[in-house]
Amino acid sequence: MSESKSALTLRAFVYDHNVNEIETTTNNQQSNVVELDSSLPPIEAAKILWEKNIVGAPVWDDSAKKYVGFFEMRDILSSVIANAKAEKEEEETNSVDRYNERMVKELNITDKNGKKLFADVKPSDLTISYLAARNQFVFCNDDAKLNEVCECLMKKHCHRVPILDRDGKCKNIISQSQLIKFISRNCNHDSLQDTIREAGIPYMKDVVSVLDTVDASEAFTLLDNKRLSGIAVIDDDGKLVGNTSARDIKLAAVDEGRTAMDTDILSYLAKVRQAVPQKKERYPSCHVHEDATVAHVIDLLAKTGYHRVFVVDENVHPIGVISVTDITTFALDGEVKNSSSFCCV
């Protein structure tokens, strides 16, 4: 089967452009990268991410003089859920120390042999270095092409790619959203008019979903267990009525469980979303039909900032999903070639 015009267009695009073009187009100035010290406690690190309006940042170990991984809001999601339950059961307000105690208890992080990493860690000693280690630090050099960024993003749980200068320091970070926005703004849309079915994007897959009546704690527990940022929210008829996003995980983490999570997921999201001014309107649910073009899917992902768009049938029942990773894999034809410009630590 011959490749679609959309696939060939995207492949040519990512091989023709380099990482510095995204840096200039997105920021219009030299990036001010937020780095987190590996000795920070998780709560303090989460507050820094919130203040900077980001969902993750590289973690620097000054004694070892190297990056040890990424800290992300999703890393403390299980403790947020536990704290919400405790807030409801206990009369007095929970302190940061109590929150850290629950974090040690709730974070079920194991090594490759199944041993719990935090078994002997005191709450006062828990730092983000423990959490960052499970988010692989996959980086590109500053002369890399965008196809190498795509290769990084295809790796499991990789949502953003640090760009290192010749001294090994992070000069920029390219997120999934930044990459898809760059493609949306600069790739020739006339050559992306194949429908997702014609193009051969593998969108038919199991959709992770919850009913709109489930408690927020149940929905976020599912997110935590599957290490996802977005899941579909459906009604009793199976119709798509909403979805969660990476931003919602950040809002929940900063809320620290103060908003009751025993309310239904849509009501909970409405409360935590309203607590913070929105810079732009977001879709209640991000979805397309099977006759949508590749260009439309890319533009929708870019406009909403979501990492996935759900594919629905004529009754708005979700039948599949297309993620940013699916787009980058599609651009590379699913093949990851050896490269000297990206690496993992």
Side-chain angles (χ1 to χ4, degrees):
M1 181 179 175
S2 60
E3 290 187 90
S4 67
K5 186 175 183 179
S6 296
L8 295 172
T9 299
L10 283 174
R11 185 168 312 121
F13 182 85
V14 297
Y15 274 88
D16 285 345
H17 295 270
N18 62 49
V19 296
N20 290 317
E21 293 179 70
I22 290 188
E23 178 183 68
T24 344
T25 302
T26 304
N27 302 323
N28 295 318
Q29 59 183 3
Q30 183 67 27
S31 299
N32 294 315
V33 175
V34 175
E35 290 184 2
L36 300 172
D37 190 279
S38 61
S39 63
L40 281 172
I43 301 303
E44 294 305 315
K47 288 179 178 178
I48 292 174
L49 296 187
W50 172 248
E51 290 170 358
K52 300 296 183 180
N53 197 31
I54 54 179
V55 295
V59 177
W60 175 260
D61 186 328
D62 200 50
S63 59
K65 301 299 181 186
K66 68 175 185 179
Y67 295 101
V68 295
F70 258 87
F71 173 73
E72 300 184 355
M73 284 292 192
R74 73 177 68 243
D75 291 329
I76 63 171
L77 190 52
S78 57
S79 59
V80 170
I81 297 167
N83 210 53
K85 293 177 181 178
E87 287 277 4
K88 181 183 177 183
E89 296 169 358
E90 299 175 9
E91 293 183 1
E92 60 184 68
T93 304
N94 288 292
S95 65
V96 171
D97 289 339
R98 294 293 299 281
Y99 192 15
N100 281 336
E101 287 176 13
R102 294 194 189 96
M103 186 174 294
V104 174
K105 181 180 178 181
E106 294 297 327
L107 286 171
N108 185 25
I109 301 173
T110 59
D111 61 19
K112 60 183 179 181
N113 298 317
K115 181 181 178 182
K116 192 169 182 179
L117 296 179
F118 294 164
D120 301 319
V121 179
K122 297 178 181 178
S124 58
D125 295 333
L126 179 62
T127 65
I128 57 173
S129 60
Y130 290 97
L131 297 170
R134 69 174 179 170
N135 298 319
Q136 200 174 33
F137 191 80
V138 187
F139 65 88
C140 282
N141 294 326
D142 56 6
D143 59 350
K145 295 287 188 179
L146 292 188
N147 65 290
E148 294 161 53
V149 175
C150 291
E151 291 170 13
C152 291
L153 291 173
M154 287 167 61
K155 295 183 179 297
K156 190 175 182 180
H157 301 320
C158 182
H159 305 288
R160 54 195 59 79
V161 181
I163 307 301
L164 303 192
D165 61 22
R166 295 184 180 182
D167 296 323
K169 292 293 289 180
C170 185
K171 59 180 288 188
N172 191 26
I173 297 175
I174 297 178
S175 67
Q176 289 180 325
S177 296
Q178 285 176 312
L179 177 62
I180 209 73
K181 285 177 182 177
F182 182 79
I183 294 173
S184 175
R185 291 169 182 164
N186 298 283
C187 191
N188 181 8
H189 281 41
D190 291 340
S191 300
L192 299 175
Q193 293 304 310
D194 298 306
T195 67
I196 56 176
R197 180 186 292 169
E198 294 169 342
I201 297 177
Y203 61 86
M204 294 291 287
K205 61 190 76 168
D206 292 336
V207 177
V208 180
S209 63
V210 294
L211 284 170
D212 57 0
T213 53
V214 305
D215 288 350
S217 60
E218 182 179 338
F220 278 99
T221 298
L222 181 62
L223 283 171
D224 189 39
N225 290 341
K226 291 188 174 292
R227 297 274 294 164
L228 293 172
S229 60
I231 57 175
V233 181
I234 58 176
D235 63 15
D236 289 334
D237 296 323
K239 181 180 178 180
L240 184 69
V241 293
N243 55 264
T244 66
S245 69
R247 178 180 174 82
D248 295 323
I249 291 179
K250 181 177 72 172
L251 292 173
V254 173
D255 184 70
E256 297 181 6
R258 287 186 292 267
T259 300
M261 281 190 164
D262 58 352
T263 56
D264 68 87
I265 179 61
L266 291 183
S267 296
Y268 174 83
L269 291 178
K271 288 179 181 178
V272 295
R273 286 171 178 173
Q274 288 173 2
V276 178
Q278 298 277 349
K279 289 186 177 180
K280 58 183 178 181
E281 291 294 323
R282 288 178 174 257
Y283 290 81
S285 65
C286 187
H287 66 269
V288 298
H289 294 274
E290 291 181 280
D291 59 356
T293 65
V294 174
H296 177 65
V297 170
I298 290 174
D299 288 345
L300 187 56
L301 288 168
K303 184 175 182 179
T304 62
Y306 290 139
H307 292 165
R308 58 187 47 75
V309 55
F310 295 99
V311 182
V312 299
D313 62 17
E314 64 275 9
N315 297 313
V316 199
H317 294 161
I319 58 174
V321 62
I322 300 174
S323 66
V324 174
T325 302
D326 290 326
I327 297 296
T328 56
T329 303
F330 176 66
L332 297 179
D333 193 27
E335 297 178 2
V336 179
K337 301 176 177 61
N338 291 328
S339 171
S340 59
S341 297
F342 80 91
C343 190
C344 309
V345 296

